[in-house]
Amino acid sequence: MAGDADARFLLVVCFVASILLPSRAQPATPTEVKVGFIIDAGSPVGKIATTTIPMALEDFYAAYPNSSARVRVLQHDSGGDVVAAASAALQLMTAQGARAILGPQSSVESAFVADLATQAELPVVSFSATSPSVSPATARFFARAALSDALQADAIAALATYFGWRRVVPIYQDDDYGAAFVPFLVDALTAERTEVPYRCALPAAASNDAIAAALLRMESEQTRVFVLHTRPGLAKNVFIAAMEAGMMDEGYVWVITDGLTGLLGSVDPPQGVIGLTPYVPTTTRLREVKKRWAHRYMRDHRHADPAEAVMGCYALWAYDAAWAIASAAERLSSSDLLSSPPGLVGGAGGPTDIAGLGKSRSGPSFLRAISSTKFDGLGGKFELINGELAVPAFQVVNIMDNGKERGIGFWTALHGLSRYLDRGSNESSGELRPVIWPGDSTVRPRGWVQPTSARKLRVAVPGNVSDSYKLILRLEVDPETNETTASGFVIEVFEAAVRLLPYALPFEYVKAASMPYDELVKAVGNGTFDAAVADITMTANRSVSVDFTLPYTGTAIAMVVPVRDHRSSKRTWIFLKPLRYDLWIVSTAFFLFTGFVVWAIEHRGNEDFRGPPSYQLGTLLYFGFSTLVFAHRETLKSNLSRFAVLVWVFVVLILQSSYTASLTSMLTVPQLEPTVANYNELRWSTANVGIMNNSFMKAAMTKAGFPPDRIKRYPDPTSFHEALLNGSIGAIVNETPYLKIFLKTYGSNFTMTPQLNRTGGFGFAFPKGSPYVTDLSKAILKLTESDEMNMIERKWFGDADDDGAMQDGFTSNSLSFNSFWGLFLITGATSLLCCVAHLANFVATSRRELPPHLSWKDRLWMLFKLFDDRDPSSHTFRVKDDGGGVSVRNGAVASPRVAHSELGSPLSAPYTSEWSGTASPAAGEIELAAGGQERDEAAPNPDGSGENGRGP
């Protein structure tokens, strides 16, 4: 029994093994995943796709042979018809059990199919629908494995800015493919201050005659920069017509979008065209696939032009889209793979019954798998961000004569245009490679010509300008021909700025009716005029209605008042006016200082500087001030004092000459001053004020607190002049250009006060958002930086300095200390050094005469007494004896202390002279002998008394 049981167990094991082992040895059959493929097989993109999609799937499964799912493509040819594409999509969703759809080709077809797919929750992956009219934002189950046309708009605008083209005309196909792209292009160009003067929309089936007529109209305009965005067939016809019309010659610019650059073999563009294409890194795999793809394309389409066998962006996008579908199918779960397709609810309604369309169970999972797929594809890194393919950069290419493209640079959203994609390169500073333009030219086209038929800008010019202001602005209308002619400073500046624009600006002057400038500005803002060229002051209120250019001339609010001569009112004390108070004070101080220095040096050795205190003080003052007229009679004995006085007399000479010249000027030159000094004085006075008609000054002055009843309006300078003469007004308050014209005519008795209040200046007015504002502002800057603006101003207003403002030359200002401080520094330093040298010598010679053991106070007092005494050693107190020697007058040679006690000091003893009984020595007695010995020789007194006037 036990043996039978073992035998039965072994039999069961062998049976199970016989079942399991063969199943492990044979590979499992991959699950089939049906994917619809809707394409226009006869179109260039359709031909590319029919070759690329099968090749991509073959390459994927060759790389992954053990895949658990196999994509089976169910192709439908829509023929470019929207209804056929929608019918094919319904058939794929219901009858054929497709779990995703590749295509459709066009954006219009994709929009319809995406709506159906969203209802059925079936993923639709398009590799050719580039129009922004359809996007994942509007269709939840739509994914774009291609580049959206909206992304290249910024790159085209960057090209226009780089080459300096200020006007660009888009030529586009009039359907969803072309019309949806133009708003993005216009917005990008407008952001770069580039104008789109008009747009050229061509039907997809436009005849050659219709294309030629459209090009003829563009040729009559001034713009020569065109952006072409059409399907390949229409683009080829446009280029043929352009070559026949001569619009591919030098001076023209043609830019094609990436949709045409990717199909160059079907477009056949001429040399000189600029194109954009998504940047594709070159790899070994890409080169190998391109070679195989070219052979396969020519095998599939035997009658195709070999030039079409170039793997462009559409082929790369189709290849990567098929690879992404196959990769996503691998990640579907078994339940998703075994679930049923959408089908029809209840199985009724037939293949085109939209109302009964059911929902796919695997659709959401399949969409998530596709959206999360990332790999290195042929076109670069494949990654869908919010359902859109991420493209890191565009390459800018130049089409050559053989239809080949030559890279000239790159564009990225982060760095803009550059020669190299790697911003770390030394030359990646934004410079593109040289370009071969149409007509084999290497000169950058300026992008415009003088138009033969274009709407002219209606420029408003005030027609009621007074003849007195014709230097600023003048408008004349010929009554016979009705021709309008404008002239003046404003007009010449405007026309000079227009000549500097990077394009032609046709305009005509239109006479504006008599109105305030505020109303004229509003007329420009509401579109009555295209611009206003006049002496319009830019204010905050006016800038609300229009945009102003940069000011072409600076202005300020100033005041013109009569002048008066004030010499008669201040004639009594006019002798004090030549010197300012600070110079009077410093001069007086230096007169005293110089007298003191001379006294200090001459006091011990010169009898002229000795005597009672009052006499010495008088001598000090007299000597100091007598140097003013060089009349000092004292003889100087010391070389130090002579040197100090010599420098001081030189300073006095300069002061005296300057004083004389200034006083003469004050007595002879008219001393003109304004009757009103400033605005505050005018405001608090009772005088009326004159302003121009239609000026903004009344509102500004009233706002500042000026009484409005004292503000009077006048039309021209003649009226202002009469009002000032008869006293109707006391001043004119206006902007400086008008006041300069007034002073140029009537400037002899009037002046413009130097006090200025700045304003916004004169500017040209344009409607809000006008692109001419920026361009004219740049032109005005160039004009201002050049010498042409100065020439224009001198032509109409004369020299800039001749403005009639109150200048310093009308009056003689008082001389101040600042003009002479250097001279005072020299004479002060000289006198001080001489005085210090004398005192140092005195202290050095007297120090040994001082008794020892004295306190510092006693020493100081003793020095003072010694300084007050005569200096017996001075040659001025020595007389010649009969024997040819010399002796000291009034006693033998003794120390200063002994001489002081015997002779007496002028400050400590009564002073005696010839008037008090003591005879002064004769001038001839004071001399130095050439040799001999000293002896005492006392001069006899007149009264016969003894020595020093003492009796026997």
Side-chain angles (χ1 to χ4, degrees):
M1 295 294 293
D4 294 338
D6 293 339
R8 287 195 296 271
F9 176 74
L10 183 60
L11 182 62
V12 171
V13 171
C14 291
F15 176 74
V16 172
S18 64
I19 297 176
L20 295 179
L21 289 177
S23 64
R24 291 177 178 270
Q26 299 177 0
T29 303
T31 304
E32 184 180 74
V33 179
K34 298 180 179 180
V35 175
F37 179 34
I38 303 174
I39 199 70
D40 180 7
S43 67
V45 176
K47 293 179 181 179
I48 291 173
T50 54
T51 297
T52 306
I53 298 295
M55 180 179 173
L57 293 176
E58 292 173 6
D59 290 350
F60 179 84
Y61 292 119
Y64 302 99
N66 296 326
S67 299
S68 61
R70 292 275 175 169
V71 173
R72 177 187 172 191
V73 177
L74 306 175
Q75 182 174 338
H76 285 257
D77 186 0
S78 67
D81 184 70
V82 177
V83 176
S87 177
L90 282 175
Q91 186 176 356
L92 288 168
M93 294 176 190
T94 57
Q96 295 184 300
R99 300 183 184 276
I101 295 177
L102 271 169
Q105 178 177 326
S106 68
S107 300
V108 178
E109 297 172 31
S110 297
F112 277 91
V113 174
D115 289 340
L116 294 176
T118 300
Q119 182 178 345
E121 295 187 352
L122 193 76
V124 174
V125 181
S126 178
F127 55 86
S128 58
T130 58
S131 172
S133 60
V134 57
S135 67
T138 57
R140 188 164 53 92
F141 277 79
F142 175 79
R144 195 196 319 268
L147 179 67
S148 174
D149 290 335
L151 298 178
Q152 59 186 325
D154 290 335
I156 296 174
L159 283 173
T161 302
Y162 175 82
F163 289 111
W165 303 322
R166 305 307 298 167
R167 290 186 171 188
V168 174
V169 174
I171 304 174
Y172 61 96
Q173 188 165 313
D174 194 11
D175 57 12
D176 281 355
Y177 172 74
F181 166 68
V182 172
F184 292 92
L185 177 62
V186 172
D187 290 345
L189 291 172
T190 303
E192 294 290 335
R193 299 291 185 178
T194 301
E195 183 185 3
V196 180
Y198 54 90
R199 311 173 189 184
C200 179
L202 298 175
S207 63
N208 293 336
D209 292 339
I211 295 174
L215 293 181
L216 181 62
R217 173 181 175 270
M218 291 188 291
E219 187 183 16
S220 65
E221 303 288 346
Q222 67 167 311
T223 307
R224 291 294 182 264
V225 182
F226 308 107
V227 176
L228 185 61
H229 181 72
T230 63
R231 295 294 184 185
L234 181 58
K236 187 172 185 178
N237 294 334
V238 169
F239 280 127
I240 292 174
M243 293 182 68
E244 293 177 352
M247 297 179 65
M248 293 303 301
D249 295 336
E250 184 176 357
Y252 287 87
V253 178
W254 290 83
V255 180
I256 58 177
T257 56
D258 67 322
L260 297 176
T261 310
L263 299 170
L264 290 179
S266 301
V267 177
D268 192 19
Q271 177 176 286
V273 175
I274 300 296
L276 288 175
T277 182
Y279 169 67
V280 177
T282 302
T283 61
T284 303
R285 179 192 173 198
L286 177 61
R287 287 193 292 267
E288 187 271 332
V289 171
K290 278 186 174 182
K291 184 181 299 184
R292 290 192 295 112
W293 184 91
H295 289 292
R296 184 162 181 164
Y297 181 86
M298 295 305 298
R299 186 189 66 190
D300 295 344
H301 312 283
R302 296 185 181 277
H303 301 290
D305 189 343
E308 299 177 6
V310 178
M311 198 173 188
C313 60
Y314 285 108
L316 298 177
W317 292 335
Y319 189 97
D320 289 343
W323 192 287
I325 289 286
S327 177
E330 283 296 309
R331 297 198 299 276
L332 290 178
S333 63
S334 58
S335 59
D336 291 330
L337 293 173
L338 297 175
S339 63
S340 60
L344 296 175
V345 178
T352 60
D353 189 352
I354 301 176
L357 188 64
K359 297 182 181 297
S360 172
R361 295 180 181 177
S362 62
S365 300
F366 207 171
L367 179 64
R368 286 193 296 271
I370 295 172
S371 300
S372 61
T373 298
K374 298 180 182 179
F375 59 90
D376 291 330
L378 291 184
K381 184 176 179 60
F382 182 91
E383 181 181 7
L384 298 179
I385 300 176
N386 296 326
E388 299 272 4
L389 181 64
V391 178
F394 282 100
Q395 186 176 13
V396 185
V397 297
N398 187 196
I399 308 302
M400 309 308 294
D401 56 357
N402 55 2
K404 301 295 183 180
E405 57 187 60
R406 179 178 67 93
I408 60 174
F410 299 89
W411 179 89
T412 61
L414 181 61
H415 300 295
L417 290 171
S418 60
R419 177 174 294 192
Y420 300 97
L421 185 61
D422 181 13
R423 295 296 294 183
S425 301
N426 294 332
E427 300 182 26
S428 59
S429 59
E431 292 290 334
L432 300 179
R433 291 186 177 90
V435 180
I436 304 297
W437 301 101
D440 294 334
S441 173
T442 57
V443 178
R444 176 183 63 84
R446 62 179 182 175
W448 62 273
V449 293
Q450 193 68 33
T452 58
S453 63
R455 176 184 174 273
K456 293 184 178 180
L457 209 68
R458 300 178 69 251
V459 178
V461 179
N464 59 336
V465 180
S466 171
D467 290 342
S468 302
Y469 297 119
K470 64 182 179 180
L471 296 178
I472 296 178
L473 184 65
R474 184 178 181 85
L475 186 72
E476 296 177 348
V477 179
D478 192 328
E480 296 181 359
T481 62
N482 201 31
E483 182 181 357
T484 303
T485 305
S487 61
F489 169 74
V490 175
I491 298 299
E492 188 163 348
V493 170
F494 175 72
E495 294 177 352
V498 169
R499 289 194 296 269
L500 294 176
L501 292 177
Y503 50 83
L505 181 62
F507 64 91
E508 59 180 351
Y509 295 118
V510 179
K511 181 179 180 180
S514 178
M515 66 179 75
Y517 277 177
D518 290 341
E519 298 298 325
L520 178 61
V521 167
K522 292 179 181 179
V524 174
N526 61 29
T528 304
F529 303 106
D530 297 325
V533 174
D535 48 334
I536 303 175
T537 303
M538 296 185 293
T539 63
N541 292 334
R542 292 173 178 174
S543 63
V544 175
S545 304
V546 297
D547 284 341
F548 285 103
T549 63
L550 289 177
Y552 56 87
T553 184
T555 61
I557 300 174
M559 182 171 59
V560 166
V561 296
V563 294
R564 62 186 176 189
D565 189 353
H566 66 89
R567 287 180 296 171
S568 59
S569 61
K570 301 180 179 179
R571 210 169 187 86
T572 304
W573 301 99
I574 196 172
F575 68 91
L576 295 176
K577 292 289 290 181
L579 305 184
R580 213 171 66 174
Y581 71 92
D582 57 346
L583 187 54
W584 278 117
I585 295 174
V586 173
S587 299
T588 303
F590 268 81
F591 276 117
L592 297 175
F593 175 68
T594 304
F596 170 77
V597 169
V598 173
W599 173 84
I601 297 174
E602 296 287 335
H603 173 64
R604 301 189 69 236
N606 193 338
E607 286 290 350
D608 292 338
F609 291 89
R610 299 190 60 81
S614 59
Y615 178 81
Q616 295 187 53
L617 179 61
T619 302
L620 185 152
L621 296 176
Y622 173 78
F623 180 86
F625 286 100
S626 63
T627 56
L628 180 63
V629 291
F630 313 108
H632 49 283
R633 62 176 179 81
E634 292 79 6
T635 302
L636 302 181
K637 307 300 183 179
S638 172
N639 289 331
L640 291 175
S641 60
R642 289 171 181 171
F643 181 65
V645 170
L646 178 64
V647 175
W648 169 243
V649 168
F650 173 72
V651 174
V652 170
L653 177 62
I654 295 177
L655 282 175
Q656 185 187 60
S657 302
S658 302
Y659 176 87
T660 304
S662 181
L663 181 61
T664 303
S665 174
M666 290 182 176
L667 293 174
T668 57
V669 177
Q671 303 297 304
L672 303 178
E673 67 177 8
T675 56
V676 181
N678 50 55
Y679 291 112
N680 289 331
E681 183 178 337
L682 179 64
R683 177 182 175 185
W684 296 113
S685 68
T686 59
N688 293 330
V689 178
I691 64 172
M692 278 183 60
N693 282 342
N694 300 329
S695 173
F696 71 97
M697 288 304 307
K698 183 171 184 179
M701 294 177 66
T702 303
K703 185 177 180 180
F706 204 93
D709 57 338
R710 289 171 49 199
I711 302 176
K712 308 298 179 182
R713 294 184 180 273
Y714 294 91
D716 50 47
T718 303
S719 303
F720 281 125
H721 182 241
E722 295 175 354
L724 286 171
L725 291 181
N726 60 32
S728 300
I729 57 176
I732 307 172
V733 177
N734 211 332
E735 292 178 279
T736 49
Y738 310 110
L739 297 181
K740 290 179 181 179
I741 293 178
F742 175 84
L743 293 171
K744 195 171 184 179
T745 307
Y746 307 106
S748 57
N749 297 318
F750 306 95
T751 184
M752 184 166 61
T753 58
Q755 181 181 2
L756 303 175
N757 295 324
R758 295 294 176 184
T759 62
F762 290 163
F764 304 127
F766 288 85
K768 283 286 187 180
S770 174
Y772 301 120
V773 173
T774 301
D775 296 338
L776 277 174
S777 296
K778 293 180 180 178
I780 291 172
L781 284 178
K782 294 179 182 178
L783 196 64
T784 305
E785 292 171 356
S786 67
D787 193 51
E788 187 174 358
M789 180 65 82
N790 295 330
M791 295 173 61
I792 295 174
E793 290 181 350
R794 286 194 295 268
K795 173 183 175 180
W796 294 101
F797 301 123
D799 293 333
D801 294 336
D802 188 18
D803 57 3
M806 180 65 72
Q807 301 290 338
D808 292 340
F810 282 97
T811 60
S812 295
N813 294 329
S814 300
L815 300 174
S816 66
F817 171 71
N818 290 333
S819 303
F820 300 94
W821 70 270
L823 291 174
F824 284 110
L825 177 63
I826 294 173
T827 184
T830 303
S831 299
L832 184 62
L833 288 175
C834 292
C835 185
V836 170
H838 175 73
L839 293 177
N841 180 60
F842 164 72
V843 172
T845 56
S846 302
R847 183 176 54 184
R848 57 180 176 269
E849 302 295 335
L850 297 177
H853 309 297
L854 290 179
S855 65
W856 66 271
K857 292 182 180 181
D858 294 336
R859 286 176 176 271
L860 187 62
W861 175 250
M862 183 64 69
L863 284 174
F864 175 74
K865 293 181 70 65
L866 290 176
F867 180 79
D868 187 50
D869 253 340
R870 285 187 178 95
D871 184 6
S873 63
S874 174
H875 68 279
T876 58
F877 297 127
R878 297 179 181 179
V879 295
K880 183 188 294 186
D881 61 4
D882 294 336
V886 295
S887 64
V888 179
R889 192 156 41 102
N890 296 331
V893 176
S895 67
R897 177 162 45 92
V898 175
H900 172 73
S901 61
E902 292 182 355
L903 300 177
S905 170
L907 298 180
S908 61
Y911 177 76
T912 56
S913 66
E914 56 181 328
W915 304 103
S916 60
T918 302
S920 299
E925 295 178 340
I926 306 175
E927 58 183 9
L928 185 62
Q933 298 179 352
E934 296 180 356
R935 62 183 180 85
D936 293 337
E937 183 178 298
N941 292 323
D943 56 359
S945 59
E947 184 178 351
N948 291 333
R950 294 188 297 269

